[in-house]
Amino acid sequence: MDRYLIPSVFQAIQLCDLLAQNAEGLAAAEIESALSLPRTSVFRLLRTLVSERLVEKRGKRYYYGNRIYEISASNAQSQQIQQALIPALAPLIAKTNKSAILSIPGGSAVFVIDVLDGSPNRVSSIRPGAKLPLFDSAPGHIMLAYQNQFSLPFYTSKLGHFDKALAEKISLSTCTRGYAAVYDNALGTTCVSVPVFINHGELTAMLAIEIPGKEGSTKALQFWSESLKEVATLAFNHQLTSNSGLT
């Protein structure tokens, strides 16, 4: 190990990374085995991480904590994106039965940082702080298609099993259409998502509209994707204004 690295910090990051790859959680003994660490070291790491909500304990198993998502959502760039996009998203869904979802890339998953419901009678089951999967969500498809700085080997190392062929198929389809659309059978909703690019074409966020039911109309999907793209351009324009020192 590099002599400038702090062992306990390095081990804590390894532990969090391990839990992020295991949605079903892990027992302390499984963590000891996976990281080849002494039981006392694992106990102290877990105790510290749980106290800071970076790790969550349920019964005898440990899970990736929501504090990670809160930190991601509260950074300066995320706040800037929210300030640029939320005012334009609100009127887009006002008085509808739809929800708008703003999320950001999060390594091997999508982090939701804000959700707007179109009316008091409409409450999306997806809430801020949620983590969405790459393969089974529209924002995840956008991330697979446009997250250029992460290669397929990166995802493979993060997710363990990674279907490269399916990822390439999703990427091609998404790039061809210019948007992603996924029906979630469990939630009974259709989600349409588009990318938000700033910083020389870098994928910075994903915008999405959640529609109740199974939306099969290509015309409707295109309408919502084009509406979202108009909102997405505001993020780029907002960045240009901020960088130029204008208000």
Side-chain angles (χ1 to χ4, degrees), residues 32-157:
E32 292 172 30
S33 176
L35 299 181
S36 300
L37 291 175
R39 179 169 301 181
T40 53
S41 296
V42 171
F43 173 79
R44 295 180 68 179
L45 286 169
L46 287 172
R47 188 70 176 267
T48 302
L49 293 170
V50 168
S51 72
E52 296 302 315
R53 296 190 298 112
L54 296 172
V55 168
E56 180 181 345
K57 184 180 182 182
R58 303 177 206 161
K60 294 184 178 181
R61 301 184 76 78
Y62 294 87
Y63 300 81
Y64 201 53
N66 286 333
R67 178 80 182 280
I68 299 291
Y69 312 136
E70 294 171 8
I71 292 172
S72 298
S74 63
N75 68 52
Q77 187 178 59
S78 295
Q79 291 178 349
Q80 186 181 43
I81 292 170
Q82 286 177 288
Q83 292 168 4
L85 298 179
I86 294 303
L89 274 176
L92 181 63
I93 60 164
K95 299 179 181 180
T96 72
N97 65 340
K98 299 169 179 60
S99 298
I101 300 168
L102 176 59
S103 56
I104 58 174
S108 57
V110 172
F111 293 161
V112 177
I113 62 174
D114 213 339
V115 178
L116 296 177
D117 296 313
S119 69
N121 296 325
R122 166 64 185 168
V123 179
S124 172
S125 57
I126 298 174
R127 304 316 301 169
K131 183 172 70 170
L132 305 179
L134 293 178
F135 286 94
D136 300 319
S137 71
H141 286 195
I142 293 294
M143 193 169 151
L144 282 172
Y146 297 107
Q147 185 78 329
N148 295 327
Q149 63 263 47
F150 290 145
S151 63
L152 292 179
F154 169 86
Y155 287 126
T156 303
S157 67

Side-chain angles (χ1 to χ4, degrees), residues 186-201:
L187 300 179
T189 59
T190 300
C191 193
V192 183
S193 185
V194 303
V196 179
F197 296 114
I198 60 175
N199 296 333
H200 308 291

